[in-house]
Each structure stands twice: as structure tokens, then as C-alpha cells.
Amino acid sequence: MIAEPGFSIVVLAARVLLALPYLVSSIEKSLHFSAALEEFARARVPLLRLAAVATIALQFVASICLIAGWFVSEMAVALALFTLVATLRVHDFWNMEGEERLIRSRVFLANLGLVGGLILLAAVGPGSKVL
């Protein structure tokens, strides 16, 4: 195990790196809301507008909390569950063929890696108040 303050610096780096995809996604979805709605429609997400707004809010708030070290375990669990559900719904590579199957399977596995990192972060917590 890494001793303090190194441990907390490593945890801070992990929090930021795990939060970045969600922060960028929330900003992109906000700036290009109609494209986000189209993406949700292709994925057959019910309650399209509500789901899009809820997704943007969750991704933005949770990523800011992870970066700032607020409610880290709770936000990490929320993002892990969200990512797992969204990944199973959108990246159903087992129903695809050819290159699309390969691309979606890679995204699926990358998302599972995010889920694993978030679960580990939930277990470890925020580290000392470095930020």
C-alpha cells in the first residue's frame, strides 16, 4: 500500500480520471442536446427527454463530486450502476455482426473497466482531503 500523502494523491488522480469521461459526456450532451436525443432514440430509451436530462444531470453532478471529493462512494456507486445499465442497453454487441460487433464489444469491455474502477473507488473512498 502507498503511504500518505502519496496514497491520497493517487486516489485524487483516479477520481479525476474516472470522472472525466462523464464530465465531458455531460457537457457534450448539453451542448448538442438534439444529437443526444437522437442517440437516446436509437437506443430505444423510454421517456426520451426526461432520460436525457437525468443522464446529463447525473453525469455532471457525480463527476464534479468525484473530482471535489464530495460523496465519493455514493457518486461512484451511482455512476457504476448507470454505466452498467447503459452499457447493457446500448452496447449489445451480442446482437450485432461484423465490424460493428467488434467495435461495440470493445466499448462494452472499456465500460466494464470504468465500472470496476468506480466500484474500487467506492470501496477506497476519497482519500485524505488533498483537494
Side-chain angles (χ1 to χ4, degrees), residues 1-130:
M1 182 109 128
I2 301 170
E4 288 294 349
F7 177 77
S8 290
I9 292 169
V10 168
V11 172
L12 170 61
R15 291 189 343 240
V16 171
L17 292 172
L18 286 167
L20 277 177
Y22 299 100
L23 182 59
V24 170
S25 178
S26 69
I27 292 168
E28 286 291 321
K29 282 179 177 67
S30 295
L31 293 175
H32 307 285
F33 191 70
S34 60
L37 290 177
E38 290 173 16
E39 179 185 346
F40 279 55
R42 281 192 305 277
R44 301 168 314 281
V45 174
L47 305 170
L48 202 59
R49 286 187 178 279
L50 178 61
V53 169
T55 296
I56 291 166
L58 172 65
Q59 289 181 328
F60 185 78
V61 170
S63 62
I64 295 299
C65 285
L66 288 185
I67 292 167
W70 304 324
F71 306 103
V72 169
S73 294
E74 296 85 347
M75 295 297 109
V77 168
L79 285 174
L81 291 173
F82 165 79
T83 303
L84 188 59
V85 169
T87 298
L88 290 169
R89 175 133 188 126
V90 175
H91 301 292
D92 56 344
F93 67 92
W94 50 89
N95 291 323
M96 299 172 184
E97 295 181 15
E99 189 174 342
E100 184 68 16
R101 180 183 177 107
L102 180 62
I103 292 168
R104 292 295 178 119
S105 68
R106 288 177 179 166
V107 173
F108 184 92
L109 291 172
N111 284 357
L112 288 184
L114 273 173
V115 169
L118 289 163
I119 291 169
L120 185 58
L121 183 59
V124 169
S128 296
K129 290 294 179 183
V130 174

